[in-house]
Amino acid sequence: MIRRSAVTRRGTRALAPVRRTDLGSLIARATTAIGRFVILRDERCQSCGVEINLDPAHIFTSKRHATKWDPENILALCRGCHDGFGRDPIGWKAWLIRRMGEEKYEALRLKSLRPVPSWEVKQLARDAIEMLEGRS
């Protein structure tokens, strides 16, 4: 991330790097750890079966901190399937329900909707790192 600093002598603003906050670093570390874990766990695209160009794909958006680092909310998809499902949310939901079952899908959806106060995000990230790095 780049932030603008004070105006220089020529009247333009110089660009300087912004340091990540402790929380930002913690979130990035937890996100990287869960992504690696999911790709190692699944080994191949859970839709088409290919073993290359895998992405960790969140079932419910990673913006929802209640399930952001929950391994049940993430699966490995190749980039093609990930992009395809991103363009077809109705097909994505139907595929997930066939794969997971409606009851499990709905339970995960409700869990993802739980509001998470900002103080709890830090603890969730720490717990994810501890759990995932402990498995390595």
Side-chain angles (χ1 to χ4, degrees):
M1 181 186 290
I2 305 267
R3 72 178 159 124
R4 299 215 176 254
S5 62
V7 176
T8 63
R9 286 188 298 184
R10 291 188 176 192
T12 60
R13 295 184 178 266
L15 299 178
V18 175
R19 298 180 103 193
R20 283 191 163 205
T21 63
D22 289 340
L23 180 59
S25 294
L26 193 62
I27 287 172
R29 190 170 156 205
T31 302
T32 299
I34 190 67
R36 286 183 183 148
F37 169 78
V38 167
I39 289 171
L40 289 171
R41 176 195 68 190
D42 292 351
E43 298 180 331
R44 60 184 36 134
C45 176
Q46 297 301 293
S47 177
C48 71
V50 302
E51 297 176 356
I52 57 172
N53 295 326
L54 298 177
D55 290 333
H58 286 81
I59 294 170
F60 296 101
T61 180
S62 61
K63 293 178 183 178
R64 297 180 185 173
H65 288 293
T67 52
K68 181 179 184 91
W69 302 292
D70 183 342
E72 291 185 18
N73 186 49
I74 308 168
L75 44 85
L77 292 177
C78 69
R79 290 193 184 122
C81 290
H82 199 176
D83 291 345
F85 281 134
R87 289 188 300 269
D88 182 15
I90 295 170
W92 170 241
K93 180 180 177 182
W95 181 79
L96 287 166
I97 290 173
R98 280 193 311 272
R99 186 176 195 281
M100 302 170 71
E102 196 157 353
E103 199 171 299
K104 189 173 178 184
Y105 176 87
E106 187 61 19
L108 187 60
R109 186 186 73 79
L110 292 174
K111 181 180 179 182
S112 77
L113 293 173
R114 181 179 73 83
V116 178
S118 58
W119 60 265
E120 192 180 345
V121 171
K122 197 173 211 177
Q123 189 58 50
L124 286 170
R126 280 190 184 127
D127 291 348
I129 291 167
E130 186 178 301
M131 175 187 74
L132 298 166
E133 290 181 352
R135 290 182 179 192
S136 308

